[in-house]
Amino acid sequence: MSRRWQLPHFLSPAVNGKRKADPVIEESPSKKAKLINEGFCLFVGNLNSSKNSEELKESLEKYLMSQSLLFQDIRLDRFRKHAFVGLLSEMDLNKALTLNGEVLLDKPMKIAKAKIKSAEKVKVKSPELKKDARCLFVKNLPYNATKEDILKIFHKAIAIRFPGGTEGPTKGIAFLEFKNTGIAKKVQKQKQGVTIQKRVLILNRVGEKSVCRVTKADVENKRKKDKKALQSSQNIEAGKKEDTEESCEKPEKTKVLSKTLIVMGLAEKTSPETLKSVFEGAVNARVTVNKKDVSKRFGFVNFGSDESCKAAKEAMEDCEIDGCKVTIAYAYPKGKKTGKEGGKLTGGRARTGGKT
């Protein structure tokens, strides 16, 4: 049997005077992704290869989100020693480069701009880039803001996305998608610097290199105004507190000292002599009685000075006289009542008319 040998395509005879076209070799998806992210691709080396791929990727995603870096995808090499991160803007790339040497999973990372070989004369059309052109990147959102709060201001947005798939701006950032690029540009111009919960929002088109129109000076002026308003409110509260303290202190300053004690809860048999002998330093004492000469079970003890009266009261707190536990308080002349004690005691003394 004779074997047939097939010539290589470059030595094969021409058909109708023309050679066959070379076969078209399509680029793999990984190469296309490299071309798309070529401008903002980050290299992260010295990863902890003892961890599995899922744990490494999840840890790296959480770290990037904690640094408020926006990214499209993360690709690990098969040995899990380094990764390529496709960032969304040059601003994110520049910020990421400052993190070189930071520790992730107990190993310092080596971070640099990725050196990717670009294919020559290959044009790749990515639907993601078209989508990005219709999106606005919103910064400085309140962490407790909801989608409804954001849509009240950006009512022309057709979708809202938060990094990491969360339900709210846990990192203070969000993506707003609009119907077309023209609407996105118009909204960026009109809403730049708008506030939500007293926070100035910063708007950028996704992927643009231009600096935000809200300058640092604007943000600093806004912070100064907020600080000044806070200080003024604190001063008002402090003034109210001082007024309250002064009003509380006024009764103490106008307090009328007394030289007389009223003793309530006496036994019916207690006499003025017994009452006087109980209190050291007493000048005289009297027990109030009714028209039938029966004790009303309270009496008054007079002292030579306010100090003697005060000392006797403190010494006789919670005492018993003739087997009855008595209550002792200051007695004040009519028209000079101060505090809770004076109001009741003045009336009691005014009604006294018994014998002593």
Side-chain angles (χ1 to χ4, degrees):
M1 292 179 66
S2 61
R3 292 185 178 180
R4 287 189 176 183
W5 296 89
Q6 186 176 1
L7 293 174
H9 69 277
F10 55 86
L11 295 178
S12 60
V15 179
N16 295 331
K18 296 181 180 179
R19 252 179 55 190
K20 289 184 179 180
D22 294 337
V24 178
I25 302 175
E26 295 185 355
E27 294 287 349
S28 64
S30 61
K31 289 185 178 180
K32 288 184 180 180
K34 288 181 180 180
L35 293 172
I36 294 170
N37 299 325
E38 180 182 357
F40 312 125
C41 191
L42 186 73
F43 170 81
V44 182
N46 197 34
L47 296 176
N48 192 340
S49 57
S50 62
K51 308 292 182 181
N52 58 46
S53 298
E54 292 182 2
E55 187 175 358
L56 273 174
K57 195 171 182 179
E58 184 180 357
S59 300
L60 188 55
E61 284 178 353
K62 289 182 179 179
Y63 178 78
L64 294 174
M65 289 177 63
S66 69
Q67 300 297 324
S68 300
L69 295 174
L70 301 177
F71 56 92
Q72 290 177 330
D73 61 342
I74 297 175
R75 304 186 305 278
L76 291 170
D77 76 315
R78 61 177 181 173
F79 300 108
R80 304 187 302 279
K81 291 184 178 180
H82 62 266
F84 291 96
V85 181
L87 299 173
L88 286 178
S89 67
E90 186 179 15
M91 188 186 304
D92 293 318
L93 178 62
N94 292 334
K95 184 177 179 180
L97 293 176
T98 62
L99 303 175
N100 184 35
E102 293 290 327
V103 177
L104 179 69
L105 297 176
D106 302 324
K107 293 195 73 175
M109 295 181 291
K110 293 181 180 179
I111 297 178
K113 186 175 179 180
K115 297 178 181 179
I116 299 176
K117 295 180 180 179
S118 59
E120 295 180 359
K121 299 180 181 180
V122 178
K123 295 182 180 179
V124 180
K125 294 183 180 180
S126 171
E128 291 186 3
L129 290 178
K130 289 184 179 179
K131 186 177 180 181
D132 289 344
R134 296 184 281 119
C135 290
L136 289 182
F137 174 38
V138 186
K139 294 183 180 180
N140 202 35
L141 281 166
Y143 295 153
N144 60 347
T146 62
K147 287 185 178 181
E148 290 73 18
D149 296 334
I150 300 173
L151 285 174
K152 285 180 183 178
I153 296 177
F154 303 97
H155 56 275
K156 292 185 179 180
I158 60 176
I160 300 177
R161 304 193 309 274
F162 301 109
T166 58
E167 293 297 323
T170 54
K171 301 297 180 183
I173 55 180
F175 288 98
L176 302 180
E177 184 179 342
F178 297 89
K179 190 174 181 180
N180 55 53
T181 307
I183 295 176
K185 289 181 179 179
K186 188 175 180 180
V187 171
Q188 181 189 13
K189 185 177 180 180
Q190 292 177 346
K191 302 294 184 179
Q192 189 70 264
V194 72
T195 59
I196 294 182
Q197 299 179 17
K198 298 182 180 181
R199 299 193 69 170
V200 181
L201 302 188
I202 301 172
L203 306 180
N204 278 333
R205 288 179 59 205
V206 173
E208 72 177 354
K209 298 181 181 179
S210 59
V211 181
C212 176
R213 295 190 184 107
V214 179
T215 62
K216 290 183 178 180
D218 295 334
V219 177
E220 189 64 28
N221 291 335
K222 179 66 177 174
R223 288 178 180 173
K224 287 181 179 179
K225 288 181 181 179
D226 293 342
K227 187 177 181 181
K228 188 175 181 181
L230 180 63
Q231 288 178 347
S232 62
S233 64
Q234 289 176 347
N235 292 337
I236 292 172
E237 291 295 330
K240 289 180 179 179
K241 188 175 180 181
E242 289 177 0
D243 293 341
T244 305
E245 290 177 353
E246 288 177 0
S247 62
C248 293
E249 291 174 359
K250 283 180 181 178
E252 294 294 330
K253 293 179 180 178
T254 58
K255 184 175 179 180
V256 179
L257 297 177
S258 176
K259 299 179 183 179
T260 304
L261 293 178
I262 181 170
V263 185
M264 296 169 284
L266 294 171
E268 289 187 2
K269 64 179 181 178
T270 302
S271 64
E273 292 77 14
T274 304
L275 187 60
K276 178 183 176 184
S277 64
V278 171
F279 290 90
E280 184 179 353
V283 176
N284 56 59
R286 61 192 178 92
V287 177
T288 305
V289 295
N290 58 19
K291 293 179 180 180
K292 295 182 179 181
D293 254 4
V294 178
S295 173
K296 291 185 178 180
R297 304 190 66 181
F298 70 90
F300 297 92
V301 183
N302 297 318
F303 296 86
S305 64
D306 298 334
E307 291 74 14
S308 300
C309 182
K310 182 179 179 182
K313 181 180 181 299
E314 292 175 354
M316 295 297 292
E317 290 287 352
D318 298 326
C319 70
E320 291 185 1
I321 301 177
D322 288 338
C324 293
K325 187 173 182 179
V326 296
T327 302
I328 303 171
Y330 291 110
Y332 297 98
K334 188 175 181 180
K336 294 185 179 180
K337 36 183 182 176
T338 61
K340 295 181 180 179
E341 297 174 352
K344 294 181 179 179
L345 301 179
T346 302
R349 188 176 184 185
R351 288 194 297 270
T352 60
K355 300 179 180 179
T356 56

